Amino acid sequence: MTRVVVTVMPKEGVLDPQGQAVRGALGRLGFGDVTDVRIGRRIELQLTGDDPEGQARRMCDELLANALIEDYSVAVEG
Amino acid sequence: MTRVVVTVMPKEGVLDPQGQAVRGALGRLGFGDVTDVRIGRRIELQLTGDDPEGQARRMCDELLANALIEDYSVAVEG
Amino acid sequence: MSVAVLRFPGSLDHESAARAVTAAGGEARYVWHAEEELPAGTTAVLLPGGFSYGDHLRPGAIASRAPVMDAVRRHAAEGGLVLGICNGFQVLCEAGLLPGALRPNATLSFVCRQVELDVADPGTPFTRDLPARLSVPVKNHDGAWFGDPSDARVVLRYAGENVLGSVDAVAGVANREGNVMGLMPHPEEAVDPLLGSVDGLGIFAALARA
Amino acid sequence: MSVVPLHRQLGLTDEEFARIPELIGRAPTDPELVMFSLMWSEHCSYKHSKPVLRRFPTTGPHVVQGPGENAGAVDVGDGWVVALKIESHNHPSAVEPFEGAATGVGGIVRDILALGARPIALLDSLRFGPLTSARSRHLFTRAVAGIGGYGNCIGVPTVGGEVMFDDRYEDSCLVNAMCVGVVRPGRMLRSAARAPGDHLVLIGNRTGRDGIGGASILASAELGEDDAAKRPSVQVGDPFTERKLIDCCLELAESGLLEALQDLGAAGLTSAASEMAAKGGVGLDIDLDRVPLREEGMPAAEILVSESQERMLAEVHPNRLDAVLAVCARWELLATPIGTVTEGGRLVARMDGEVVVDVPASALTDDAPVYGVPVAPAHTPAPLRLDDVPPPEDLAAAWRDLLARPTLASKRWVWERYDHLVGANTVGRPGGDAALVRLPGSRRAIALTTDCAERHCELDPRHGGRATVLEAARNLACTGARPLAATDCLNFANPEKGATGWRLTEVVEGMSEALEALGVPVVSGNVSLYNESPVRAILPTPVVGMLGVVDDAAQGVGIGFDREGDRVLMAGWAAPRLDGSEYLGRAEGLPPAPDVAAEVALVDFLVEAARHGLVRSAHDLSGGGLAVGLAESALAGGVGCRIAAPRGRRADEDLFGEAGGRVLVTCRPADLPALEALAGRVPLTDLGEVGGDALVVETAEAHVTLGLGEARRAYEDAIPGALA
Ligand SMILES: Nc1ncnc2c1ncn2[C@@H]1O[C@H](COP(=O)(O)OP(=O)(O)O)[C@@H](O)[C@H]1O
Ligand SMILES: [Mg+2]
């Protein structure tokens, strides 16, 4: 059983209205020191079978990420 | 300027409909080796000012996470 | 004549879409997402609105990988008409049958509102019979089209306010050939005078004629 | 280490605890004790409200199902039975507004679904503290997001509702949700289990630790300082699974595969199973090891009372079990036979081969304690002395400011976040007096509204109860609909304290009098008590949801002034007063007592006038009086008006004063004689005409003019502005 963490973030240049809104809200709450906020997805997978990293990458290519607007990274936590 | 990564995940025991739906989809796509999927948010903050970790935690308590149903963790990437 | 109206878990507008097809003189048949073939004699495919798979991950993402979508791809490749409305549009983009992607509305909220649309390209079978300006409702949470308008065939734009924050105020796009179209607004909610508009009928007439 | 005995921690009194052995012949096991504590809680047993509820009229020629089932139902003709019910989710929404409101919607939808009815409309009746309070802004915006997030995703249009802001709701917000569904006559399902030997099939989500004890803790105890302690039991909604449940259960019901159906709501499996058994006079034998769990190692008691959402319990004949499981599998829904129907009325639950529960089902339901409430009356206040209310310097400015009060201002910000169209049958959209929803495949439409005269109920509960019902009926009649049935949600403070018990009793009496006069039965409802904090109690809030019918949807009437030259008339009459009005902004004085007979005549007149196509618009005059009614009609239709206000004691009272029984009607000049003839004894006053781009009103003191642009800004920007 392996734990793999997939991180999917909006591509640079793809505007991230949610991130902007959160930044604005933080500002209104008095957190003035925030210069940028990006919000993405963290997907924790429990995998059996071998080559968990390869499996996870295929999952990203086939479903978990949309290459047009998102970048992903995969980390095997063993 | 410090980069802080906030991770917000559904609390243990709290229903994660999104994780359920994605697990089902992965199964139908032939990824049979997935035994569990949990989905949360990854929030990347650019902070100025000192005590970035403390700031980020306060942001989580006040806005970024919903303590009733979510756990968060904060990592300063310097 | 025979329009296949796809049904995924979480489809919501299949019945109103089928009614619109009938109102335009066509015949609608529901097709379950797990089917691998379209019914014999299918002349057009309609992907209705809704929240397929709860919009989890990305709207349309999970549905776009359903078995029936390969059959839809073949139908499109042979030049058959394919229309995606709202969630159906999101599915077609996720399936790569239409360019671009649908992102969260600029308001970051669900928006349900009657809007005006301008026909930007009357050259497709879907837009041929439409009035130059239509009154049709939008209702979605992730309806902001993102993509490169220069390599997309933009067929519909929001007139006036770009409510959802689409690139170039795009409300609907088609593939190069014009036989696959998707739009976020809901023409099936604009085929009945009692509901305030019949401007959407032309789109279903195209399907009915196919 | 607490020394408080378990039964008291669970909310049972010593007397109630002592009753249990008498009923089951021995001391209860821990799981049994937990089950009794929940089933005998106010939320599940209505122990403080049952006697009061008996007063409601509940029968009538159209009634197919009165109170006692998951929802009520009436035959509306043209081959449709309409199911309706309203329910509160106040305390969960105060703790976590998004999930609390969302699961409130999910719960009421499953009550409709339990009848085998297809949900076709939702309404939401909301009350919060003033938007000047950060907490109330948070509760309001998150509750609206939760309702939309759930309702939009399940494809049931949210077509109506109401939002009121008052500091009496600052500590206890109210979130009531109403659902309406349709089913063919004779095809309605009921919850009573029928035949020993049948299977019990649990359909939907896995069972987790959601809302453990929630029924008693979240819903029946006053919210004190220690909210945080109650938080872990918040349920999370899963609208995608709910949509699959709707599609799946309707397919099962329409294929005749089910003997009985019951939702799992408060007290989860315990409530569902004991209701099914007790109503059917049979027993149930449940194997808890078969219940699909989300977490390992849940003890029997937790499985029995878990409030995990999106679950239904079905009775299935053995011959149909495979077919049922196949349909559920097709919908990608878990479906598990967890037990069987037995002879003899006992509810038995086993775990690890051991019997952990064995009680008469009726002990949990029918034998729940019933208490009267203290009915010490509060003194009835004196009417306001008009001299004590300083007149405004500038009537037009006061008018504009009134339009910008969040309670009166446009709720567009709310209903544009709801899909109010899905299904393509919403003939009358939000923003009018009542929503109009066309019945599937029919020309017929139903009209839906929720209403409540909170301040009136506080000041003069009997008349406030009447006013509440009459306003709902008027709102339906304005659209041309004849009122047919009602559902109600009685939101009150602690009935064991002060005059709350008396107000509850009086309000129900007044409601019942008006309902009887209208011939409208109550077919379902809900009670939410203890809505108070140590420092504040809510106003008495008996929300009425009413259903009406328009034979031809095309004859539905809107509120808008849209044609120059139409006559503007006042139908009905009562002298307006500032007592308890929105203009006054607080519960003070003594509002005018409604004239029930006159109001019934007004309703009949409006329905007939619409049927004959004699009215071009109709709008009920309620909060904000004549001035706000005029503005709403003008803004809705885009054309102004020039009228003379009926003259009373003072211009501000004539414009902003409130009284039931007054409706603003417009007609073509040519139709005026016919309309007057039809009016008969109903007063019909010609006030002036539709036209121009301003509201021009001649009062005893001055000409008051308010431009439509200025009025629209005040009216539309108020709520977005308060949230910005
Ligand atoms: N205020 C009321 N008026 C009429 N009927 C009511 C009222 N309150 C509760 N009821 C009826 O009592 C029964 C139990 O209510 P409730 O526990 O809310 O049902 P459920 O558990 O199915 O939601 C239902 O039939 C409901 O319609
Ligand atoms: Mg129920």
mmCIF file of all heavy atoms in Angstrom, chain D residues 70 111 262-263, ligand 2:
data_model
loop_
_atom_site.group_PDB
_atom_site.id
_atom_site.type_symbol
_atom_site.label_atom_id
_atom_site.label_comp_id
_atom_site.label_asym_id
_atom_site.label_seq_id
_atom_site.Cartn_x
_atom_site.Cartn_y
_atom_site.Cartn_z
ATOM 1 N N ASN D 70 -44.432 11.259 5.864
ATOM 2 C CA ASN D 70 -43.240 12.078 5.656
ATOM 3 C C ASN D 70 -43.575 13.422 5.045
ATOM 4 O O ASN D 70 -42.860 14.397 5.229
ATOM 5 C CB ASN D 70 -42.243 11.324 4.786
ATOM 6 C CG ASN D 70 -41.639 10.170 5.539
ATOM 7 O OD1 ASN D 70 -41.012 10.377 6.575
ATOM 8 N ND2 ASN D 70 -41.885 8.961 5.064
ATOM 9 N N ASP D 111 -38.023 13.686 2.247
ATOM 10 C CA ASP D 111 -39.375 13.498 2.781
ATOM 11 C C ASP D 111 -40.389 13.423 1.646
ATOM 12 O O ASP D 111 -41.338 12.639 1.695
ATOM 13 C CB ASP D 111 -39.745 14.652 3.723
ATOM 14 C CG ASP D 111 -39.283 14.385 5.151
ATOM 15 O OD1 ASP D 111 -39.261 13.212 5.552
ATOM 16 O OD2 ASP D 111 -38.915 15.349 5.844
ATOM 17 N N GLN D 262 -39.056 5.050 3.209
ATOM 18 C CA GLN D 262 -38.907 5.970 4.335
ATOM 19 C C GLN D 262 -37.516 6.594 4.263
ATOM 20 O O GLN D 262 -36.539 5.905 3.991
ATOM 21 C CB GLN D 262 -39.078 5.186 5.646
ATOM 22 C CG GLN D 262 -38.674 5.918 6.898
ATOM 23 C CD GLN D 262 -39.548 7.119 7.195
ATOM 24 O OE1 GLN D 262 -40.750 7.081 7.018
ATOM 25 N NE2 GLN D 262 -38.936 8.201 7.615
ATOM 26 N N ASP D 263 -37.455 7.908 4.481
ATOM 27 C CA ASP D 263 -36.135 8.548 4.502
ATOM 28 C C ASP D 263 -35.495 8.356 5.873
ATOM 29 O O ASP D 263 -36.177 8.086 6.857
ATOM 30 C CB ASP D 263 -36.269 10.039 4.220
ATOM 31 C CG ASP D 263 -37.041 10.742 5.325
ATOM 32 O OD1 ASP D 263 -38.251 10.489 5.435
ATOM 33 O OD2 ASP D 263 -36.432 11.517 6.094
HETATM 34 MG MG MG E 2 -39.113 11.712 7.008
#
